[in-house]
Amino acid sequence: MDKRIETGLLMGGLIGIIITINQPLKELTMKNELVLLAGTRETCKALTEQLKGMLGKYIRIKSFASEEYLPPLIEDALIVYSSYLIHDEVKHVIAPSCEVITAHRTVNYQYIDYLFEIPNDTNVLFVNDFPQSTMDSIETLDRLGISHLRYIPYSPGGEVPDSIEIAVTPGEMDLIPSSIPTKLNLGVRLIDIHTIMAIIDYFELPEALRINITDKYTGKIIELSKKLSSMKQEADKLNQYLKRVVDGVNDGILAFDRSGSISVFNKELERMIGISPEYAFKKKIGQVFRNSELLEFLLNDESGNQEAFTVRQTNLLVHRFPMKNDNTIVATFKNMDETIEMERRVKLELQKKGFVSKYTFQSILGESPILQETIRIARKLSLSDLPILIQGESGTGKELFAGAIHSESSRSNAPFLGINCNALPEELLESELFGYEDGAFTGARKGGKKGLFEQADQGTLFLDEIGDISMKLQARLLRVLEEWEIRRIGGNKIIPINVRIIAATNRNLKEMIEAGKFREDLYHRLKVLSLSLPSLRQRKIDIPILIRAFIRQSHKPSASITEETLLLLSKMDWKGNIRELKNVVLYMLAVSEHNELTASDLPADLSPANAPLIPGTLSNLKNEHHYLLKCIDELNKSGMPASRKKLSSLTRKTNSPLTEQQVRLRLKELEQLGYVMIRQGRSGTHITEKGLETLV
């Protein structure tokens, strides 16, 4: 063969091989990158982790959240939308060379069991960032058969229906209204298997990967089934346990459905009325009870919650409450004669000693969010037996909260004692706390005396103004908290005690520790749990409520107060907090010559001439308010969300940096003046026309 032809064929073959090799490499380069585009940071993070966990070994994966950052242009990649809702937000950064897949999303299997723990037909607020994404999520649950609940759709700006106790959300916990007591996070919805398979097909990934992913999804379903089966077994065990508990309590317990069929009838109820549970179970309530008034009370929804009846010569106090979600009515029966006698003995004994808390959480007046959050935390702390340190300015109600925590605790029927550590000299305070033996010192009572630790045994001891006790007493108190035993002054007998300690102070104990005036080890023993009380300046919306309550409790309960005076008092900075406010109201009631309190009744130092300016004018705006308005205006014009986090970071460039919490408070002040509108979600805060006028 001609050498030139042979060489040509050889070169042509090599070129053909090079072309054959290079062409797939080019296609692979163009088709091995996936770009995920999501709306929020949380969604972006969750879906990126899911995709990388499944496909990260085979393809490159990038992701962007539109609320944070989008690149100028994306080319030669497979684009995966987290939802069709973000199309308009991101379409301007996608080049024609890209392919787009819109992901279908499904429930996050890791948290799905939360929904099965909620009783059937419960009204549940379903919360998401946008109305359409909320409806999409609910439709997904219905398709999957998780339809035993009544889902009420909610997104920012919507109305919250009354009587909703539970809210669920796919990762948007901050959007749940604060009025909902129970909040469940279902986790960000994940990309479903059909979308994953579409991605695999696009990249022509190995068949083994498809099988592996399918097996994983099947495995998760099996895992969830096992979990639900385990939950059912635990529920059966719990039902057996609850039956034993119900039979063991001192109250009679009855439960029946709307048709009147009895499902619970415990042993104590048998003792009260002489009818056995075996006879009563599954019978109609009218076959068991013959008292027509009692039957009407139990079956009538319009009846009161509690009434007294005589059944077979036994005086019973019957409390009825419907369990609407379970279509069941439960009634408890107390033997009035036994209950009254027992409570009379206990209360008489405690009242004789003055060992009863005067306060409950219902005693705490106010509707401000910060106060309600403090009460919520305090209620949780009441469930524990650990020491609590209550911190707050003078006059904020530390004793009130201490008493309420005791009243809500498991020790509520045991003694509650309190002492102001600042009110007694060191020696007297020591004897009051620890007691003393006969002859321990000159003037000691014959036979000795129990100290407060002994008298409060099984109950609660409230130590007010704990920051004022001496170093010597601090050492003794530390030993009590370490060993839970005391020794009286002048005695050698060790006495074990079981007391819950609630301490309170208006002083900065950390500064005292640095100054060597308070023991750090005692501080940490007292502050196992802590509660910070808000000042009245932080909850000014509660001032009218408090004022009216003080008037009702006074010697002039029918007195009123003018709206102008109420507004004036509401704008003042009460450095003495609630105590100062109460004293001012009592002063006004004492000096007023009429039944209506006015500004002329105020003490001289609080007269309108000396009162602080009422907000609402430019003269009350500080530099930091102006700076925030300027930042919000610039962010609004640039199309970026004016979030608290962003505004806080911008203030760090100034001489007065603000935390996110401080920014929130300033924004609330600006909103009250009409200078901004605070919106939930990604849109953030917007400046109003009135606010723009201040920048001119």
Side-chain angles (χ1 to χ4, degrees):
M1 181 182 297
D2 189 332
K3 290 291 184 182
R4 289 174 297 175
I5 296 174
E6 185 177 353
T7 302
L9 289 173
L10 180 59
M11 292 298 292
L14 288 172
I15 292 170
I17 292 171
I18 291 169
I19 292 171
T20 304
I21 293 173
N22 283 346
Q23 185 63 31
L25 284 175
K26 181 179 179 184
E27 290 179 2
L28 183 61
T29 301
M30 293 175 63
K31 292 183 62 177
N32 73 339
E33 183 170 274
L34 181 153
V35 178
L36 171 70
L37 297 180
T40 65
R41 177 177 57 186
E42 292 78 8
T43 300
C44 186
K45 179 181 178 183
L47 300 189
T48 301
E49 289 177 356
Q50 181 191 11
L51 290 172
K52 286 186 176 180
M54 292 180 173
L55 308 173
K57 293 182 180 179
Y58 300 90
I59 58 176
R60 291 199 305 273
I61 298 173
K62 295 181 180 178
S63 58
F64 302 95
S66 63
E67 74 172 6
E68 290 188 327
Y69 170 75
L70 288 175
L73 189 66
I74 304 172
E75 299 180 293
D76 299 327
L78 173 65
I79 307 297
V80 176
Y81 287 166
S82 65
S83 165
Y84 65 91
L85 296 173
I86 70 164
H87 171 74
D88 291 340
E89 293 182 37
V90 301
K91 63 183 181 181
H92 63 284
V93 303
I94 300 173
S97 60
C98 295
E99 293 285 339
V100 176
I101 292 178
T102 302
H104 294 284
R105 307 261 296 283
T106 190
V107 178
N108 193 324
Y109 61 83
Q110 290 180 311
Y111 308 102
I112 199 173
D113 53 307
Y114 289 170
L115 296 175
F116 292 111
E117 295 175 7
I118 303 174
N120 290 354
D121 297 322
T122 300
N123 288 330
V124 174
L125 196 71
F126 198 102
V127 179
N128 212 338
D129 50 359
F130 294 104
Q132 190 56 51
S133 56
T134 305
M135 296 306 302
D136 290 347
S137 299
I138 294 174
E139 289 172 4
T140 299
L141 292 173
D142 287 337
R143 284 199 307 273
L144 294 173
I146 311 173
S147 54
H148 64 293
L149 306 174
R150 297 193 188 101
Y151 301 110
I152 313 296
Y154 174 84
S155 55
E159 293 186 6
V160 182
D162 295 334
S163 304
I164 297 288
E165 299 291 326
I166 301 175
V168 298
T169 178
E172 301 285 357
M173 291 291 284
D174 58 323
L175 301 184
I176 297 179
S178 60
S179 60
I180 306 296
T182 304
K183 304 174 177 64
L184 299 178
N185 189 354
L186 302 180
V188 173
R189 291 186 303 149
L190 300 178
I191 297 173
D192 72 357
I193 193 169
H194 300 292
T195 305
I196 297 295
M197 291 306 168
I199 295 171
I200 291 173
D201 289 341
Y202 176 84
F203 288 111
E204 299 178 357
L205 299 179
E207 183 67 21
L209 176 61
R210 184 191 302 271
I211 296 171
N212 182 43
I213 290 175
T214 304
D215 288 346
K216 281 185 178 180
Y217 268 86
T218 304
K220 293 300 180 183
I221 294 172
I222 294 172
E223 181 183 328
L224 179 60
S225 299
K226 287 181 179 178
K227 193 172 183 180
L228 294 175
S229 175
S230 176
M231 288 170 58
K232 183 180 182 304
Q233 293 175 13
E234 289 296 323
D236 291 341
K237 289 180 183 178
L238 180 60
N239 287 336
Q240 291 297 321
Y241 173 74
L242 289 176
K243 185 179 184 304
R244 292 195 294 270
V245 171
V246 167
D247 284 338
V249 298
N250 293 326
D251 291 346
I253 298 179
L254 169 73
F256 55 94
D257 62 22
R258 292 291 176 180
S259 69
S261 180
I262 294 173
S263 56
V264 176
F265 193 103
N266 73 340
K267 291 287 185 182
E268 185 64 19
L269 189 53
E270 176 187 16
R271 187 184 71 81
M272 290 179 180
I273 64 176
I275 297 174
S276 70
E278 291 76 20
Y279 172 81
F281 187 63
K282 290 192 176 180
K283 282 191 170 56
K284 297 296 183 182
I285 192 170
Q287 296 176 268
V288 177
F289 294 93
R290 302 298 182 184
N291 186 314
S292 59
E293 292 179 351
L294 174 60
L295 283 173
E296 183 179 357
F297 169 75
L298 293 173
L299 294 170
N300 189 350
D301 283 343
E302 297 181 0
S303 301
N305 292 328
Q306 185 170 280
E307 287 189 24
F309 300 93
T310 300
V311 180
R312 297 193 176 188
Q313 285 92 39
T314 302
N315 294 320
L316 300 175
L317 184 66
V318 184
H319 181 80
R320 171 192 181 281
F321 54 96
M323 301 177 67
K324 295 181 180 179
N325 291 335
D326 294 328
N327 204 29
T328 299
I329 296 171
V330 176
T332 60
F333 295 72
K334 287 182 182 290
N335 187 313
M336 291 175 62
D337 299 330
E338 293 177 0
T339 302
I340 291 171
E341 178 60 22
M342 181 178 66
E343 291 184 351
R344 187 187 69 80
R345 289 179 181 176
V346 172
K347 288 185 178 179
L348 183 61
E349 187 64 26
L350 291 176
Q351 285 172 356
K352 283 180 180 178
K353 298 178 179 179
F355 291 176
V356 179
S357 169
K358 298 180 290 185
Y359 305 113
T360 66
F361 284 112
Q362 285 69 40
S363 309
I364 303 172
L365 302 177
E367 299 174 352
S368 61
I370 191 170
L371 178 66
Q372 292 302 312
E373 176 65 10
T374 305
I375 292 174
R376 185 188 70 80
I377 294 171
R379 284 184 184 276
K380 290 193 173 184
L381 298 184
S382 68
L383 303 178
S384 170
D385 270 344
L386 296 170
I388 301 177
L389 178 62
I390 301 178
Q391 296 172 289
E393 296 179 9
S394 179
T396 51
K398 294 186 283 294
E399 182 179 358
L400 191 154
F401 268 90
I405 289 171
H406 170 79
S407 298
E408 191 94 349
S409 74
S410 59
R411 298 174 180 259
S412 58
N413 291 324
F416 174 81
L417 286 85
I419 187 169
N420 188 328
C421 299
N422 189 34
L424 299 173
E426 179 183 339
E427 293 77 12
L428 185 54
L429 178 60
E430 184 177 16
S431 66
E432 285 294 313
L433 288 174
F434 299 99
Y436 52 83
E437 295 292 354
D438 188 4
F441 50 83
T442 302
R445 180 189 300 176
K446 188 175 181 180
K449 177 187 175 183
K450 283 185 176 181
L452 294 179
F453 278 110
E454 287 183 76
Q455 296 177 66
D457 193 42
Q458 306 301 319
T460 304
L461 180 58
F462 174 52
L463 303 176
D464 199 5
E465 304 299 349
I466 192 68
D468 294 322
I469 65 174
S470 67
M471 296 297 285
K472 174 187 171 183
L473 276 180
Q474 289 179 36
R476 288 206 66 178
L477 181 56
L478 176 64
R479 179 170 176 79
V480 173
L481 295 175
E482 288 175 339
E483 307 296 337
W484 293 111
E485 58 188 26
I486 59 112
R487 187 172 59 192
R488 293 183 185 177
I489 297 173
N492 52 22
K493 179 183 176 182
I494 299 298
I495 304 171
I497 58 167
N498 179 358
V499 176
R500 186 185 196 180
I501 301 295
I502 301 179
T505 183
N506 61 2
R507 305 184 67 177
N508 190 321
L509 295 185
K510 288 187 175 180
E511 290 182 358
M512 293 182 65
I513 291 170
E514 293 177 1
K517 295 180 180 180
F518 200 86
R519 296 180 63 116
E520 185 172 7
D521 45 5
L522 176 59
Y523 171 76
H524 291 298
R525 285 285 184 179
L526 292 171
K527 195 177 178 289
V528 179
L529 304 177
S530 63
L531 183 68
S532 294
L533 303 189
S535 67
L536 196 53
R537 296 184 298 282
Q538 294 173 281
R539 41 176 291 215
K540 287 190 174 183
I541 63 173
D542 293 334
I543 290 177
I545 298 172
L546 292 168
I547 291 173
R548 293 188 175 101
F550 296 151
I551 293 174
R552 287 195 301 270
Q553 298 163 9
S554 73
H555 66 288
K556 288 184 178 179
S558 61
S560 61
I561 183 170
T562 66
E563 289 298 321
E564 294 79 5
T565 309
L566 204 60
L567 180 62
L568 180 64
L569 293 174
S570 297
K571 300 304 180 183
M572 292 181 180
D573 287 332
W574 297 96
K575 295 182 180 179
N577 293 293
I578 300 170
R579 185 181 295 120
E580 182 188 5
L581 175 65
K582 183 175 183 180
N583 290 341
V584 168
V585 174
L586 294 178
Y587 172 87
M588 295 173 71
L589 288 166
V591 303
S592 175
E593 297 180 358
H594 307 285
N595 214 35
E596 184 178 55
L597 306 183
T598 66
S600 63
D601 298 317
L602 286 168
D605 60 330
L606 294 180
S607 64
N610 298 322
L613 290 173
I614 297 175
T617 63
L618 272 178
S619 60
N620 288 281
L621 283 183
K622 300 178 182 177
N623 290 335
E624 57 194 21
H625 293 87
H626 280 289
Y627 185 73
L628 285 176
L629 284 173
K630 181 181 177 183
C631 292
I632 294 167
D633 181 39
E634 291 174 355
L635 290 170
N636 289 168
K637 289 176 179 177
S638 66
M640 295 178 66
S643 65
R644 293 198 302 268
K645 183 176 182 181
K646 182 65 176 176
L647 292 171
S648 175
S649 67
L650 290 173
T651 64
R652 295 189 195 119
K653 303 174 184 177
T654 70
N655 294 327
S656 302
L658 300 174
T659 65
E660 288 188 44
Q661 176 68 7
Q662 290 172 324
V663 169
R664 186 182 71 82
L665 293 173
R666 304 301 185 275
L667 292 179
K668 284 290 184 184
E669 293 169 354
L670 290 171
E671 185 181 49
Q672 290 173 359
L673 296 174
Y675 294 151
V676 299
M677 289 189 298
I678 301 175
R679 297 176 179 173
Q680 293 181 323
R682 296 199 297 268
S683 60
T685 300
H686 284 253
I687 191 167
T688 64
E689 290 294 328
K690 186 176 179 181
L692 288 172
E693 291 174 6
T694 69
L695 300 178
V696 177

